[in-house]
Structures are given as C-alpha cells and as structure tokens.
C-alpha cells in the first residue's frame, strides 16, 4: 500500500491534515503531523518522503542514527527542484 493511501486513511479517521500546527512556547508553530523515518531505508523512505511532501507535510522526523540521511535528503532536494517546496 502506498504511503499516500495510508496517510489519507489516517487523516480521514482522525480529522487531521498536514497543515494543522501547534504553537510552541517559543512562539513558533510546528506541524502536528510529521513523517517518521526511523527504520525506513532505500527507495522506500525516499518515496515516502516525496509522497509526504507532495501532500503538504513539512515535518520530517529524522536523525543521524537512522542511517537514511542520503535518501531523505535526495527526496527533499528532488521536491525542491520539482517546485513542490
């Protein structure tokens, strides 16, 4: 099942969307929904990040310990080049 389908189902069930934010005590706003990339690698994580960005996600959770920085970075760079963000 593609990531977009899963996200659409979850968003519909819980009434959430990628554009909703919460205001932090610093005054900044952070998107409520974020894409977690832990334990995702290769083409799978790259496509998931691209799909998430395409539908409006701007909160991508990642860390150097996940070992997928190259794929996540490529997906973000390709989304910028495509004019999505």
């Amino acid at each position: 099942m593609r990531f977009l389908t899963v996200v659409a189902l979850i968003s519909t069930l819980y009434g959430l969307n990628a554009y909703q934010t919460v205001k932090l005590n610093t005054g900044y706003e952070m998107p409520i929904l974020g894409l977690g990339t832990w334990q995702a690698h290769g083409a799978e994580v790259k496509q998931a990040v691209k799909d998430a960005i395409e539908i409006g996600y701007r909160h991508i959770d990642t860390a150097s310990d996940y070992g997928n920085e190259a794929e996540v970075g490529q997906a973000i760079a390709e989304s910028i080049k495509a004019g999505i963000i």
Side-chain angles (χ1 to χ4, degrees):
M1 184 179 293
R2 263 190 81 181
F3 173 75
L4 286 175
T5 305
V6 173
V7 169
L9 290 170
I10 292 170
S11 297
T12 300
L13 286 172
Y14 294 100
L16 300 173
N17 67 56
Y19 302 103
Q20 290 175 288
T21 61
V22 62
K23 191 170 211 169
L24 303 174
N25 64 357
T26 59
Y28 289 100
E29 291 194 13
M30 179 180 76
I32 291 173
L33 292 179
L35 174 69
T37 63
W38 181 57
Q39 294 188 333
H41 298 280
E44 178 185 45
V45 72
K46 184 176 175 182
Q47 189 60 54
V49 171
K50 288 173 75 172
D51 289 347
I53 290 170
E54 183 180 327
I55 63 170
Y57 276 56
R58 297 300 181 263
H59 178 173
I60 310 295
D61 174 52
T62 189
S64 61
D65 286 347
Y66 298 174
N68 57 14
E69 300 96 331
E71 295 91 344
V72 171
Q74 289 169 356
I76 293 169
E78 288 175 18
S79 296
I80 291 169
K81 186 175 180 178
I84 298 169
I85 54 174

